Amino acid sequence: MNLHEYQGKEILNSFGVEIQRGIVATTPEEAVEAAKKLTEQTGTKWYVVKAQVHAGGRGKGGGVKLAKNLEEVKTIASQIIGMTLITPQTGASGKKVHQVLIAEDVYYPGDSEPEEYYMSVLLNRSNGKNMIMYSTEGGMDIEKIAEETPHLIFNEEIDPALGILPFQARKIAFNLGLSGMAFKQMVKFVTALYTAYSKTDSSLFEINPVLKTSDDRILAVDAKVTLDDNALFRHKDYAALRDTREENPIEVEAKAAGLNYVDLDGNVGCMVNGAGLAMATMDLIKQAGGDPANFLDVGGTADAERVETAFNIILKDPNVKAILVNIFGGIVRCDRVAQGIIDAYKNIGNIPVPIIVRLQGTNADIAKVLIEKSGLNVYSVTEFQEAADKVQEVLQELA
Ligand code: GDP
Ligand code: MN
């Protein structure tokens, strides 16, 4: 689950990470009130109006703007709230902005120039450790740095059993070229950041930029946080931060129905029981020359009703040109799944795409008879290879 910048910053702050402070607003009037309040709290003269959407690169898309007085706050907030923000991370259709963060301007002039760094904490699945990635080249273009000058990005591996050790925090501050007060602040910053990452059961905390202010404070100016969905049961307060407006509507509906569904770009919808078989089925579709339109694990308790719900969800994706049902009946009885498919046909009306069904295991023979007798536009197969061949055939007919 992803969070908004303002939510991520609140969490960071609760773990003692210094942040660029701000107040969230949903109308231009609220934005002005937020700015007034922020000046009372922080003494800031200037403000940054920041679109709150689940996508980075907002600055490039015109979603982050400096305001030098309350009038500008109002004008800019009214431009940004309600706009469809297109950034390198939103795709061409963009994201609608429902709220803005009114933040204090932290790039104020002083003894030294403000400096932007990059820092993220993430899970390294290949070695089962956490990793802190960091760079002096923070700001807006870390993807470009990673591609063109990868030697400017450092990694520090953190053993999750030990947590971040003091020497590691010092090494990071040193590699960022810091000294004196800024060095000490960075050690504190990175230690608190790692603690926040670990205590919240997150899989990503990305802070770009981390700012060294002109008076040597170290602040999180941005925050991209991904919480691990599987750990949300231990963090009910964070679970309440979910903003379903930012999520894929089909995925939200599937989740509410208790289905494990991930939307993908392809044209072959699939309905499978078990995550492993679902992955293998997606491979099968690829090998047959297609592209999976989704990952869908209907789980171990697939009955007729669940199968019908799953069909409804798959069909909401307009790209779906064919559906492959691949069910192994262990606990699940294949005849029930077959009945679900037949019911879905009846209830949904005419399903507009061909369906290839492979049912194997408990009562597969009964299921096959049910489907064949139904006279529906369903191809019933028993072997994996047969399923692949049939998918290929159907796709060729469509081409
Ligand atoms: P992103 O574009 O979605 O990554 O949004 P960020 O929160 O990282 O902001 C984008 C850019 O806006 C930053 O890289 C800064 O250059 C700029 N910015 C953010 N906060 C301030 C601020 O307080 N003052 C000024 N002058 N610029 C800021
Ligand atoms: Mn950023």
Side-chain angles (χ1 to χ4, degrees):
M1 171 177 136
N2 292 326
L3 298 181
H4 284 294
E5 173 197 358
Y6 80 93
Q7 298 168 326
K9 278 175 161 174
E10 274 170 26
I11 292 179
L12 284 171
N13 194 235
S14 73
F15 285 94
V17 180
E18 257 209 88
I19 55 165
Q20 174 195 45
R21 290 163 295 181
I23 298 172
V24 78
T26 54
T27 63
E29 293 72 31
E30 268 181 43
V32 172
E33 289 313 308
K36 283 186 194 159
K37 207 160 144 195
L38 194 62
T39 294
E40 280 169 28
Q41 289 172 1
T42 66
T44 190
K45 283 210 283 279
W46 291 358
Y47 312 93
V48 197
V49 183
K50 309 180 82 176
Q52 298 298 289
V53 291
H54 286 188
R58 294 164 301 164
K60 283 183 193 160
V64 177
K65 289 202 170 129
L66 194 66
K68 298 189 177 171
N69 54 52
L70 295 177
E71 227 145 89
E72 285 185 15
V73 168
K74 190 159 182 178
T75 320
I76 295 170
S78 58
Q79 285 163 0
I80 295 183
I81 297 171
M83 84 186 279
T84 299
L85 183 61
I86 300 173
T87 84
Q89 294 182 17
T90 58
S93 55
K95 285 210 152 193
K96 180 138 193 198
V97 182
H98 299 284
Q99 44 192 357
V100 287
L101 181 65
I102 307 300
E104 58 177 331
D105 171 33
V106 285
Y107 287 59
Y108 46 78
D111 294 341
S112 64
E113 277 295 302
E115 296 260 8
E116 294 180 322
Y117 310 114
Y118 172 88
M119 189 173 289
S120 60
V121 191
L122 61 153
L123 178 63
N124 184 350
R125 290 172 198 277
S126 62
N127 64 4
K129 291 190 173 161
N130 293 316
M131 189 160 84
I132 299 180
M133 280 175 70
Y134 61 103
S135 176
T136 50
E137 309 304 301
M140 298 217 239
D141 256 326
I142 194 68
E143 285 80 12
K144 205 168 147 206
I145 305 288
E147 223 163 86
E148 291 170 10
T149 46
H151 61 278
L152 295 177
I153 300 181
F154 297 96
N155 290 327
E156 185 69 25
E157 257 169 23
I158 312 288
D159 187 327
L162 299 177
I164 185 168
L165 299 172
F167 87 89
Q168 294 181 298
R170 289 198 298 271
K171 182 159 107 193
I172 290 169
F174 180 81
N175 283 338
L176 289 173
L178 298 171
S179 61
M181 165 81 168
F183 183 97
K184 278 195 202 140
Q185 291 299 313
M186 181 59 83
V187 167
K188 213 179 121 205
F189 183 93
V190 62
T191 308
L193 173 63
Y194 182 82
T195 306
Y197 163 87
S198 153
K199 287 271 164 65
T200 53
D201 291 312
S202 291
S203 51
L204 173 72
F205 258 86
E206 184 182 55
I207 317 296
N208 187 27
V210 172
L211 187 77
K212 178 168 83 73
T213 62
S214 59
D215 50 356
D216 281 354
R217 291 156 66 212
I218 304 292
L219 305 177
V221 167
D222 193 3
K224 182 175 180 188
V225 175
T226 307
L227 302 171
D228 182 348
D229 285 335
N230 297 310
L232 280 180
F233 72 97
R234 329 199 257 211
H235 303 286
K236 297 270 184 323
D237 44 342
Y238 298 154
L241 301 177
R242 182 179 289 277
D243 185 350
T244 48
R245 292 175 300 190
E246 296 290 322
E247 298 178 6
N248 178 307
I250 309 178
E251 288 181 7
V252 172
E253 195 182 330
K255 201 182 176 88
L259 294 167
N260 194 355
Y261 173 95
V262 181
D263 192 44
L264 301 168
D265 291 333
N267 51 4
V268 182
C270 37
M271 182 188 326
V272 191
N273 66 332
L277 187 59
M279 303 287 247
T281 304
M282 286 160 61
D283 285 351
L284 179 84
I285 291 170
K286 274 269 187 199
Q287 279 167 13
D291 269 307
N294 65 275
F295 168 97
L296 173 58
D297 174 6
V298 287
T301 57
D303 53 19
E305 204 189 331
R306 232 172 132 71
V307 167
E308 193 182 326
T309 311
F311 264 115
N312 270 309
I313 286 184
I314 292 175
L315 288 168
K316 292 223 155 117
D317 178 349
N319 298 326
V320 168
K321 297 286 177 283
I323 298 176
L324 172 58
V325 179
N326 192 5
I327 301 278
F328 181 78
I331 299 170
V332 173
R333 282 172 38 193
C334 292
D335 55 322
R336 283 200 187 155
V337 174
Q339 193 56 51
I341 296 170
I342 295 164
D343 290 351
Y345 251 100
K346 268 195 226 138
N347 296 338
I348 298 172
N350 200 13
I351 294 180
V353 298
I355 301 179
I356 301 130
V357 179
R358 173 186 179 249
L359 294 165
Q360 243 333 338
T362 311
N363 290 356
D365 43 351
I366 305 176
K368 204 167 160 89
V369 174
L370 273 176
I371 286 183
E372 273 160 14
K373 276 212 290 205
S374 71
L376 300 172
N377 183 18
V378 176
Y379 305 98
S380 176
V381 298
T382 41
E383 301 304 321
F384 218 67
Q385 189 55 50
E386 261 183 284
D389 294 344
K390 199 72 209 173
V391 169
Q392 196 156 30
E393 201 183 302
V394 164
L395 288 175
Q396 272 161 3
E397 273 169 27
L398 288 172

